[in-house]
Amino acid sequence: MSILPARRGGLPLLAAVVALAAASATAPPASAAAHASPDAVLRLLNAARARHGAPSLRADRRLARAARAHSRDMVANRYFAHLSRSGERPSRRIAHTGWMRGRRRWHVGENLAWGARRSARPAAIVAAWLDSPAHRRIMLDPVYRGVGVGIARGTPFPGSRRGRTYTADFGG
């Protein structure tokens, strides 16, 4: 795991990365990751936030557009990082969607994960984020009120077609 701090306009951009290996040596049914949906991730994020007294997140279409594009880009170009191959930081990718337009102040954070087989399920991804102090801090931070979740088929590494790659972009 690595933490990538960045600053823009004096506001912190919190970002963390987690890579998940296959959790089980036995192969689950082929549909194990088929239930990977942004709505399922949002429900799990909000359940965790409720347990810790943080306000619920709402789904944000612009944040989701940035998250989806980043997950797809990582799979297509075989990398796993907050900084894209073209050098864009999460804040820049989010700005391209128009999310920051009209906001005098903003905070964004990003969690990434990938998994194969059972570890590609939303519950496994969110549990891994909760187990990581940096990811936990981002997903439970009350400053964030919106989230966009992007899930791409495959992983950033060759040979893992059954996996999923997740990006969660948080904004507040």
Side-chain angles (χ1 to χ4, degrees), residues 6 68-69 90-91 95 103 154:
R68 250 188 331 271
S91 58
R103 297 175 193 267

Side-chain angles (χ1 to χ4, degrees), residues 37-113:
S37 76
D39 289 339
V41 174
L42 179 60
R43 281 191 300 276
L44 292 162
L45 289 172
N46 280 333
R49 287 173 67 93
R51 285 191 305 273
H52 292 88
S56 292
L57 295 165
R58 61 176 165 56
D60 184 287
R61 65 182 173 81
R62 290 179 178 168
L63 293 172
R65 189 166 54 228
R68 250 188 331 271
H70 191 56
S71 288
R72 289 174 180 163
D73 188 54
M74 287 189 294
V75 171
N77 293 297
R78 301 290 183 211
Y79 72 97
F80 186 69
H82 294 285
L83 191 64
S84 73
R85 290 284 189 195
S86 64
E88 281 192 323
R89 295 187 179 282
S91 58
R92 191 74 199 125
R93 291 192 310 272
I94 291 167
H96 283 306
T97 69
W99 184 85
M100 294 171 185
R101 208 170 304 138
R103 297 175 193 267
R104 292 185 63 203
R105 293 178 46 149
W106 49 263
H107 299 269
V108 296
E110 181 173 82
N111 282 354
L112 303 177

Side-chain angles (χ1 to χ4, degrees), residues 4 112 117 166:
L4 306 172
L112 303 177
R117 298 190 173 118
Y166 289 72

